Amino acid sequence: MLDKFRDECGVFGIFGHPEAANLTYLGLFALQHRGQESAGIAVADGGKIRVSRAMGQVADAFDEAALAKLPGHLAIGHTRYSTAGESKLENAQPFAIDCAHGQIAVAHNGNLVNARELRDDLVWSGSIFQTSSDTEVILHLYARSRASSVEDALVESIAQVRGAYSLALLTKNRLIAARDPNGFRPLALGRLGDSWIVCSETCALDLIGATYERDVEPGEIVVISDGGLRSIKPFPPQPLAHCVFEHVYFARPDSYVFGRSVNEVRSDLGRTLAREAPVPADVVVPIPDSGVCAAIGYAEEAGLPMKMGLIRNHYVGRTFIQPAQSIRHFSVKVKLNPVRSILEGKKVVLIDDSIVRGTTSRKIVKMVKAAGAKEVHLRISCPPTISPCYYGVDTPSRSELIAATHTIEEIRDFVEADSLAYLSLDGLRAAVGTAQGSYCTSCYTGVYPVAVPRNQRAYQQLALKVVE
Ligand code: SF4
């Protein structure tokens, strides 16, 4: 598989629609890129919450018969990639419990940085955990709250967690959305007729014909019931820390996140990169799919043609059976194939959004050269990745990040490119713009906006499944 940071999770919720489960299913399709390990839907009909979860992608997890068993007018859904906790059905979301405050289901995008210490405390005081996911901590805190209302119990439980969370929660008659005070992960609010929708990215609104209203604000809890929408802001404001990597790589280019078009930002990253790191060349070639928007921007700014010199096979799953006799660079070749007629005899600017370990970049550069390229100039539309993420993105440990241990010239030498340049941190900040608030850039700086306890770092690094 390609050597990339793994997407986190996608959440979706809808209130006040007779086909709540069906629309959630469609919304999850639009959020499939945020997690492909498992999918789930919880639905309520005013009396009871029903949950259906399965391993695999949305299309595998649900069919008509499964959706028919999910009647109700409010629902939440989740697509998961395991950033903390193992990849198994018990960890698939939404999680649902029945407690003194009644039934509640939760779908979570992000990672809690104090999940380990909270979990240890809860276990010592008698809680029995069903999963290894940090999200379950929120439910235990909620169930133990002595507050007299659902909302107060939720505020009390959320007040104890730190880190990144964009949550969709469901009670028998309420849809609740909550976002951490730093606003790490996106969470949009939309409308479809009289129905309300919350979702990780606006592309899910587009698919079901809903309109974008606004973002759920950092630190805001939105409660939607038959009485309408109520907003509570129970927490003191914190410095904003929107995940800049949503713009660089995770979010779909047809989405708006943190108030900006992802496509526009990504093209701006490419334009800025072209100004910072120009090179005489014949053609700009993106590494698909994530390098395409930046390559368009780079090509426009550089006045060069942009051509699809690498074709991606979209039908390869996460695993495949390798032939007994080894084929050179098989794991990359099965995903990407070079177009010789575009590359042969050309000086190529190859655009990618990141280098993690460098092993995949090296294989791709070799593949482009083997297809006849005269020169390959690798350009990366973000700064060197030197530090892991603790806010909901699956990254390898620092020792495995090539930019943490090598100079740019050493990386160039390793990937065997004729030249290598990354976008500067200032260039990245200028391209994303700061009108909507500040961004987290910890994976490029090693400076973390929300402190991560040492034991949590070790715990999360152990929990991360590093896949290449
Ligand atoms: S560390 Fe990087 S990936 Fe993680 S939230 Fe910050 S910017 Fe995003």
Side-chain angles (χ1 to χ4, degrees):
M1 300 300 286
L2 300 184
D3 186 23
K4 291 284 178 200
F5 282 8
R6 299 289 170 208
D7 300 1
E8 328 94 336
C9 297
V11 301
F12 184 93
I14 184 164
F15 180 92
H17 198 286
E19 287 191 86
N22 282 0
L23 291 182
T24 302
Y25 165 78
L26 293 176
L28 294 184
F29 257 112
L31 301 174
Q32 186 73 85
H33 61 292
R34 296 184 73 88
Q36 299 95 43
E37 283 188 355
S38 63
I41 296 174
V43 64
D45 56 6
K48 188 177 175 196
I49 292 180
R50 294 178 177 84
V51 185
S52 177
R53 303 175 300 165
M55 298 304 289
Q57 299 190 8
V58 182
D60 306 319
F62 295 98
D63 56 18
E64 256 180 74
L67 291 173
K69 290 181 194 156
L70 297 171
H73 62 283
L74 57 161
I76 59 170
H78 191 259
T79 57
R80 176 169 195 259
Y81 176 75
S82 52
T83 48
E86 297 158 81
S87 175
K88 55 183 185 179
L89 187 57
E90 294 94 284
N91 285 336
Q93 296 189 24
F95 296 145
I97 58 159
D98 201 351
C99 64
H101 307 289
Q103 277 192 302
I104 191 164
V106 62
H108 174 201
N109 174 205
N111 257 145
L112 308 178
V113 297
N114 62 340
R116 178 63 187 266
E117 62 193 58
L118 288 171
R119 189 184 175 107
D120 287 350
D121 287 350
L122 286 162
V123 168
W124 276 108
S125 57
S127 291
I128 297 168
F129 278 75
Q130 306 285 325
T131 77
S132 55
S133 161
D134 57 344
T135 309
E136 198 185 347
V137 167
I138 298 172
L139 290 181
H140 280 272
L141 295 170
Y142 174 80
R144 295 167 76 95
S145 167
R146 301 236 167 218
S148 56
S149 74
V150 165
E151 282 162 34
D152 289 347
L154 193 60
V155 169
E156 198 181 300
S157 54
I158 290 179
Q160 296 174 66
V161 301
R162 291 199 315 276
Y165 55 85
S166 283
L167 300 170
L169 300 116
L170 188 77
T171 69
K172 64 179 184 179
N173 53 12
R174 266 173 280 202
L175 171 67
I176 303 170
R179 196 166 165 219
D180 64 76
N182 302 96
F184 278 103
R185 304 277 150 231
L187 194 59
L189 191 62
R191 292 220 81 167
L192 178 64
D194 292 333
S195 310
W196 286 99
I197 291 128
V198 293
C199 51
S200 295
E201 290 182 36
T202 58
C203 62
L205 299 174
D206 298 337
L207 179 65
I208 60 168
T211 52
Y212 168 72
E213 290 286 311
R214 63 176 179 89
D215 282 356
V216 176
E217 289 176 29
E220 183 182 15
I221 298 177
V222 169
V223 183
I224 303 163
S225 65
D226 286 337
L229 181 144
R230 268 191 328 111
S231 162
I232 23 179
K233 292 179 183 163
F235 310 118
Q238 297 291 327
L240 292 181
H242 300 321
C243 171
V244 79
F245 217 66
E246 292 278 353
H247 274 308
V248 172
Y249 172 66
F250 291 131
R252 264 176 44 168
D254 51 337
S255 287
Y256 280 73
V257 298
F258 311 132
R260 285 208 63 194
S261 152
V262 176
N263 170 60
E264 279 302 308
V265 169
R266 238 167 247 178
S267 299
D268 281 351
L269 296 174
R271 276 189 275 272
T272 311
L273 184 59
R275 287 195 293 276
E276 289 185 352
V279 61
D282 302 309
V283 64
V284 176
V285 170
I287 296 181
D289 295 322
S290 50
V292 171
C293 298
I296 291 170
Y298 189 104
E300 277 173 6
E301 188 72 22
L304 292 170
M306 195 283 277
K307 294 194 178 173
M308 297 302 288
L310 288 164
I311 299 300
R312 180 166 174 185
N313 182 345
H314 287 265
Y315 303 99
V316 182
R318 290 188 68 123
T319 56
F320 32 77
I321 299 158
Q322 302 224 17
Q325 195 169 2
S326 81
I327 297 175
R328 266 173 71 77
H329 308 322
F330 179 78
S331 59
V332 168
K333 269 187 185 160
V334 77
K335 278 244 164 189
L336 294 173
N337 201 33
V339 182
R340 183 170 280 274
S341 64
I342 291 175
L343 302 169
E344 199 158 31
K346 300 289 193 326
K347 293 178 186 171
V348 176
V349 183
L350 199 58
I351 307 282
D352 204 357
D353 53 73
S354 54
I355 299 178
V356 182
R357 295 177 191 77
T359 45
T360 299
S361 308
R362 177 185 164 103
K363 288 173 189 166
I364 294 172
V365 169
K366 282 186 172 187
M367 186 193 276
V368 171
K369 285 198 169 170
K374 204 156 58 176
E375 294 173 13
V376 176
H377 302 276
L378 187 56
R379 295 290 179 271
I380 307 299
S381 62
C382 70
T385 308
I386 58 163
S387 249
C389 175
Y390 297 101
Y391 309 125
V393 173
D394 184 15
T395 45
S397 62
R398 198 182 297 256
S399 62
E400 290 177 273
L401 293 167
I402 190 167
T405 49
H406 293 70
T407 65
I408 292 179
E409 174 53 24
E410 286 168 345
I411 300 169
R412 184 210 62 74
D413 190 47
F414 176 73
V415 301
E416 298 185 21
D418 293 280
S419 75
L420 166 67
Y422 289 83
L423 184 67
S424 70
L425 193 57
D426 284 346
L428 174 70
R429 288 192 176 124
V432 294
T434 48
Q436 306 293 328
S438 300
Y439 282 83
C440 172
T441 52
S442 306
C443 42
Y444 311 121
T445 61
V447 179
Y448 291 92
V450 172
V452 184
R454 196 171 279 275
N455 67 345
Q456 182 73 14
R457 291 187 189 203
Y459 166 70
Q460 270 181 236
Q461 285 298 330
L462 281 174
L464 297 179
K465 267 192 318 78
V466 175
V467 184
E468 184 154 5

